[in-house]
Amino acid sequence: MGNLVKDVASDLSTLVRQELELAKAEARETATRAGKGAGMYGGAGIAGHFVLLFLSLALWWALGYYLVGLGWSAVIVAVLWGIVAAILAVRAKKELQAAKGLPRTAETVKKIPESLKPSEEPR
């Protein structure tokens, strides 16, 4: 009987360690993907700001002076940078959606026998 309890305790300890290692690995992968997506959002914001600040003024003036007038050239420039921002936002959203959480850990935890799970009834 003592060996059986010892084996169960050892197996349970191994199971818990393996689940923790799996959770750590999945958390690292999820954090990496989420960080990448967040970095893209940040990059989109910074790039949009500087591009709009420096190049948009030059483009606005050039279009306005040579082609359509300053009012319409401002609208054209705004639409162009709106398209760029939309593309970056869509890519960032895809990266953040690819971060799935801890799917393998959740799946393997479901396989733990019911007798090893804590009771939901108060003692």
Side-chain angles (χ1 to χ4, degrees), residues 63-111:
L63 288 174
Y65 186 77
Y66 292 111
L67 295 177
V68 293
L70 293 176
W72 283 110
S73 66
V75 171
I76 292 169
V77 170
V79 168
L80 288 174
W81 293 123
I83 292 168
V84 170
I87 290 169
L88 289 171
V90 167
R91 292 209 49 210
K93 183 178 178 183
K94 285 180 183 178
E95 282 296 324
L96 290 175
Q97 286 176 340
K100 302 268 187 213
L102 309 173
R104 292 181 298 227
T105 300
E107 183 180 320
T108 57
V109 166
K110 289 178 186 175
K111 295 178 182 178

Side-chain angles (χ1 to χ4, degrees), residues 5-99:
V5 170
K6 180 181 172 185
D7 288 343
V8 168
S10 175
D11 290 346
L12 182 59
S13 175
T14 301
L15 176 64
V16 169
R17 267 195 312 274
Q18 288 174 343
E19 289 299 323
L20 285 173
E21 288 302 316
L22 178 59
K24 286 179 191 178
E26 286 185 312
R28 275 191 298 272
E29 181 180 341
T30 298
T32 299
R33 286 193 170 272
K36 189 175 183 179
M40 284 185 176
Y41 271 130
I46 291 170
H49 172 75
F50 284 113
V51 167
L52 286 173
L53 182 63
F54 296 110
L55 293 179
S56 294
L57 286 175
L59 182 60
W60 166 69
W61 184 85
L63 288 174
Y65 186 77
Y66 292 111
L67 295 177
V68 293
L70 293 176
W72 283 110
S73 66
V75 171
I76 292 169
V77 170
V79 168
L80 288 174
W81 293 123
I83 292 168
V84 170
I87 290 169
L88 289 171
V90 167
R91 292 209 49 210
K93 183 178 178 183
K94 285 180 183 178
E95 282 296 324
L96 290 175
Q97 286 176 340

